[in-house]
Amino acid sequence: MDITRFIVNQRDKALLVGDYGSYRKLLSRRLRVVRKKLKYSTKGRKYTAPIPVTAEDIASNHEFVHLILLTAERAWALAMHMKSTYATDSSAQGTTGSTKQHIVSKLQKASSYAARLVNLLHGKDQSVASTESILEARAYQQSLQGAINFEKKHWEDCLQSYAETRLLYTALAQSVGTKQDDVFKDLLASTIDPSMRYAAYQLKLSRTVSIETIVARYLQRADNAYVAKVLKSNPNLMQEHGDTAKKSATGEFTNVPKTITWRSRTVDLEDATTAQALASVSAAEGKLASFLMANPDLDRRAKAAAFDDVLIPSQDAVDAVKTAMDELTAEGVAQGDPRMQSLQITRTAVNYNLVEWRVGRNRVLCGEQDGATFENESGKKPKKPRADGKPPVEQDESTGRKLTRLKDRVVLYDSTLQSLDSVKEFPGVAADQAFVGEIEAKKAYFSSLRCLAIARSHTLHGNQRNTLALLARAAELSSRSMSSIRPVESTNGGVPKLEVKPAQVKSLQDLLERSVLRYRALVELDDLKSAAVKDKPVKPAPTIEKMNEYPPEGVDLKNLVTYPPRLQPVPVKPIFLDVAWNYIDYPGRPKKGAPIISDWKAEEAASKMEGKKEVKKGWFGFGR
């Protein structure tokens, strides 16, 4: 029936564009549609008690489950809307007793609908619900009961309800597999765990106590068939393995660290959530190292995709540290407090670890030697076989494809440089001059690789001079990096991270020096060719084009005509056009007695008189 997924999807869709008030209106419209579809509405009357849903109705149509869930969610949405409204109220009065009672009343109404659904699904004779659906309904009902106790400030009862909810959701997450447990994990991380942490804080429990320990302490196992069923199917779910062991989301037990070290400083991990997140990161790092060692011939894209399994828990560890710091700040703890100072060091350590893995992923995507080499990739093979039966000839990689690959590398180098710049903003880094020097050396190394990639793109365009300038800049950055990078011991099992070895810098420096010498020679050859073209004498025009000039040095018999002849425009015949010749007295021209115009006018007048002869009118020569 996917009860949990249905509820989470309804909340996400509504809260993405609105608040709890809009969510309640959406639920009212959806309820109207479902009731009309099931023919369950009481239209035409002012008020009628709702018809109770029976187990036979659920067995015949699972839409009746959605009907109950939508009704419960509408009551919960109204309670959350009132709570959020009064939480943002700036007045000193805040939530009054009547309002608090109204919120609790709506939550109790929602819990009653959820409890009714559990009873209907638990009827084995009539209902066709699966065990997972029953457990989901029970977990939903207990989460609403925990919200009621949370509002009433009954902290022990709240932890008991949320402990059962977390146990059921954890069991369901393990039963559906790692590919479909995102819904349960998000629900636990966003709602259940923060509420349990706050209730534990109200009960003066230590922050070092993990959520699993709280669940084991407050879980009511007696007279609870649902908990007994879960523990019977998975006995190791609540098994505790001491203070230094904890169970991960995949069901494997990993060691939980108690301290963390950053730049020769070791601090205690007082927050249990942070310690658990760091344990998950350590387990993921070991799996990644084993995977890469077992598959050395994988494509670089497949290797980079494997880094996501480490980046996700690393980001979770960063978020856990930030949440712990926000909680201490909300409690009014000063920045100079030892707990806050420990969290600052932990924050720098986990953030730097996240940056290391991001840079390592970029280095894998760049290729061999961090992208210092640039081999041609094989082109696409023709899909159809040749008609003569010969093997198809592989096409060379096009220039556009090479430029695209170089552009992608430049983007990766830019991302790496941006990550290195963000390290300087971490707490305590600016005061560590030695560490800042190491970061600058690594930044110079990746900047040199970036200049090398851009230089290769200019080579493909034929700009040798630009290529030489970029290679010279890359060589300068590489030499600066070589003088600052010191050899360090690798602790990541061969997985590329942020460590740069002197051998890698030396190999890049040798490559750049050879490239600078080569392109310096190419540029020099281009300059010599250009100078030779400029110094070459211009060939004079042939003699046939200079017939009106007398050659004082004699006629060049080897340059009489242009051969082979070139296509040139020539006039077809001479054109004389001088309309003013008959009207202007030019010097030296004899004057005539009678102008030509008078004779022309006389002839024109005579022709007009001849045209004015009598014209016969009518058909037979007489007029009408």
Side-chain angles (χ1 to χ4, degrees):
M1 295 181 183
D2 289 338
I3 294 176
T4 307
R5 190 177 299 276
F6 175 78
I7 294 171
V8 172
N9 290 340
Q10 293 294 324
R11 292 180 181 179
D12 291 343
K13 290 179 182 178
L15 298 180
L16 186 63
V17 296
D19 55 358
Y20 292 105
S22 60
Y23 180 41
R24 179 175 176 270
K25 295 178 182 178
L26 176 64
L27 292 172
S28 299
R29 294 193 296 269
R30 183 72 186 275
L31 269 173
R32 192 180 303 112
V33 173
V34 173
R35 285 172 179 171
K36 185 177 181 181
K37 180 179 179 181
L38 297 175
K39 298 180 181 180
Y40 209 72
S41 59
T42 56
K43 187 177 181 181
R45 302 179 183 178
K46 184 175 181 182
Y47 174 76
T48 304
I51 304 173
V53 179
T54 61
E56 292 81 1
D57 297 333
I58 296 177
S60 61
N61 193 347
H62 289 173
E63 287 288 336
F64 285 98
V65 176
H66 295 171
L67 179 64
I68 299 176
L69 291 176
L70 290 173
T71 307
E73 277 292 290
R74 184 173 63 172
W76 176 84
L78 179 58
M80 294 297 103
H81 176 62
M82 290 188 294
K83 183 178 178 179
S84 61
T85 301
Y86 283 95
T88 56
D89 189 7
S90 58
S91 62
Q93 186 176 4
T95 306
T96 58
S98 60
T99 304
K100 180 71 70 174
Q101 185 178 1
H102 194 187
I103 293 174
V104 173
S105 173
K106 290 302 176 182
L107 290 175
Q108 289 175 345
K109 182 179 180 180
S111 179
S112 64
Y113 277 105
R116 186 184 305 172
L117 177 61
V118 173
N119 295 331
L120 292 174
L121 295 179
H122 199 61
K124 298 181 180 179
D125 297 335
Q126 292 90 2
S127 179
V128 293
S130 61
T131 304
E132 288 78 8
S133 299
I134 297 175
L135 293 179
E136 287 186 49
R138 175 66 178 180
Y140 176 61
Q141 187 264 332
Q142 284 298 309
S143 66
L144 293 176
Q145 187 63 38
I148 294 172
N149 294 324
F150 190 92
E151 295 298 328
K152 289 182 177 181
K153 298 183 180 181
H154 297 169
W155 305 118
E156 291 188 2
D157 297 338
C158 176
L159 285 179
Q160 292 175 4
S161 300
Y162 278 133
E164 182 178 350
T165 302
R166 197 180 195 284
L167 176 70
L168 296 178
Y169 279 139
T170 304
L172 289 169
Q174 294 182 8
S175 64
V176 298
T178 57
K179 294 183 179 180
Q180 300 178 359
D181 61 350
D182 293 340
V183 175
F184 302 102
K185 287 183 178 180
D186 294 342
L187 191 59
L188 291 175
S190 61
T191 305
I192 308 301
D193 289 352
S195 301
M196 293 186 68
R197 277 294 176 193
Y198 186 80
Y201 168 75
Q202 294 294 334
L203 291 175
K204 308 299 181 182
L205 296 180
S206 175
R207 292 181 181 274
T208 59
V209 179
S210 63
I211 293 292
E212 284 77 9
T213 304
I214 297 175
V215 171
R217 183 182 301 179
Y218 287 91
L219 183 63
Q220 298 295 323
R221 308 185 187 186
D223 300 332
N224 195 329
Y226 306 99
V227 175
K229 183 183 297 185
V230 170
L231 295 179
K232 183 179 180 180
S233 60
N234 193 353
N236 296 327
L237 192 61
M238 292 303 301
Q239 185 177 359
E240 296 184 9
H241 293 260
D243 295 334
T244 61
K246 190 168 291 187
K247 200 167 187 180
S248 63
T250 58
E252 300 177 356
F253 293 96
T254 57
N255 292 328
V256 179
K258 291 184 177 180
T259 59
I260 187 172
T261 303
W262 166 253
R263 302 287 296 176
S264 71
R265 294 193 61 180
T266 303
V267 295
D268 296 331
L269 294 175
E270 300 180 358
D271 186 66
T273 305
T274 304
Q276 183 181 4
L278 291 175
S280 301
V281 172
S282 179
E285 290 176 358
K287 290 181 180 179
L288 177 62
S290 302
F291 175 77
L292 295 180
M293 189 178 298
N295 303 278
D297 298 331
L298 276 180
D299 182 65
R300 66 174 183 271
R301 294 182 180 85
K303 292 181 180 179
F307 277 72
D308 293 340
D309 296 335
V310 181
L311 290 173
I312 293 174
S314 299
Q315 184 63 51
D316 293 340
V318 173
D319 297 339
V321 176
K322 185 178 183 302
T323 302
M325 294 182 65
D326 293 341
E327 291 177 356
L328 289 180
T329 303
E331 295 174 10
V333 178
Q335 294 293 328
D337 191 89
R339 293 176 295 172
M340 187 66 75
Q341 292 295 321
S342 299
L343 284 177
Q344 292 283 7
I345 296 174
T346 306
R347 181 183 180 185
T348 302
V350 296
N351 275 284
Y352 184 73
N353 185 60
L354 178 61
V355 169
E356 282 187 318
W357 286 112
R358 285 177 179 173
V359 173
R361 182 178 181 272
N362 292 342
R363 295 175 73 176
V364 170
L365 286 173
C366 288
E368 296 293 333
Q369 300 181 13
D370 299 331
T373 59
F374 188 71
E375 299 84 3
N376 292 331
E377 292 184 352
S378 59
K380 295 183 179 180
K381 297 182 179 180
K383 298 180 180 179
K384 296 182 180 180
R386 295 181 56 172
D388 53 3
K390 295 182 179 180
V393 180
E394 294 184 359
Q395 300 177 358
D396 295 335
E397 188 179 10
S398 62
T399 304
R401 176 60 182 165
K402 293 179 181 179
L403 290 173
T404 303
R405 289 171 52 201
L406 290 172
K407 183 179 179 181
D408 294 340
R409 286 191 182 183
V410 172
V411 171
L412 292 173
Y413 293 140
D414 289 337
S415 176
T416 300
L417 294 174
Q418 184 178 3
S419 299
L420 291 175
D421 287 334
S422 65
V423 173
K424 301 177 184 178
E425 301 176 2
F426 295 162
V429 171
D432 193 346
Q433 296 298 328
F435 182 66
V436 172
E438 295 178 7
I439 296 298
E440 290 294 336
K442 295 173 182 178
K443 185 178 177 182
Y445 172 74
F446 289 106
S447 298
S448 175
L449 290 170
R450 180 178 181 274
C451 291
L452 176 60
I454 299 175
R456 284 171 174 159
S457 65
H458 281 279
T459 302
L460 295 176
H461 284 293
N463 300 328
Q464 309 292 346
R465 196 175 299 275
N466 294 347
T467 302
L468 177 60
L470 287 167
L471 289 175
R473 175 60 177 168
E476 178 186 353
L477 292 171
S478 178
S479 61
R480 186 190 309 172
S481 175
M482 181 181 294
S483 61
S484 302
I485 288 183
R486 298 290 182 267
V488 292
E489 296 182 0
S490 179
T491 58
N492 49 13
V495 181
K497 291 177 69 176
L498 193 52
E499 294 87 358
V500 179
K501 300 179 180 179
Q504 294 174 329
V505 185
K506 183 66 169 59
S507 176
L508 177 61
Q509 181 69 18
D510 294 342
L511 174 64
L512 291 173
E513 289 178 355
R514 293 194 302 268
S515 300
V516 167
L517 292 176
R518 177 172 178 266
Y519 280 94
R520 185 173 293 165
L522 291 175
V523 171
E524 186 67 23
L525 288 176
D526 290 341
D527 292 341
L528 292 176
K529 290 180 181 178
S530 300
V533 171
K534 290 181 180 180
D535 297 340
K536 186 177 180 180
V538 180
K539 187 176 181 181
T543 306
I544 194 173
E545 296 181 6
K546 301 185 297 181
M547 296 298 292
N548 57 338
E549 298 180 6
Y550 177 77
E553 298 178 358
V555 179
D556 188 4
L557 299 179
K558 296 182 180 180
N559 193 20
L560 296 177
V561 295
T562 302
Y563 187 84
R566 294 176 303 195
L567 183 63
Q568 294 179 348
V570 296
V572 179
K573 58 184 179 179
I575 300 174
F576 296 95
L577 182 59
D578 193 355
V579 295
W581 175 263
N582 298 326
Y583 304 98
I584 300 177
D585 295 334
Y586 292 96
R589 178 186 177 190
K591 296 183 180 180
K592 296 182 180 180
I596 303 175
I597 299 178
S598 59
D599 297 340
W600 173 76
K601 287 185 177 181
E603 293 177 1
E604 184 179 2
S607 62
K608 288 183 179 180
M609 292 300 293
E610 291 179 359
K612 291 183 179 181
K613 294 181 178 179
E614 184 178 358
V615 181
K616 296 182 179 181
K617 298 181 180 179
W619 289 350
F620 303 103
F622 50 86
R624 296 183 180 180

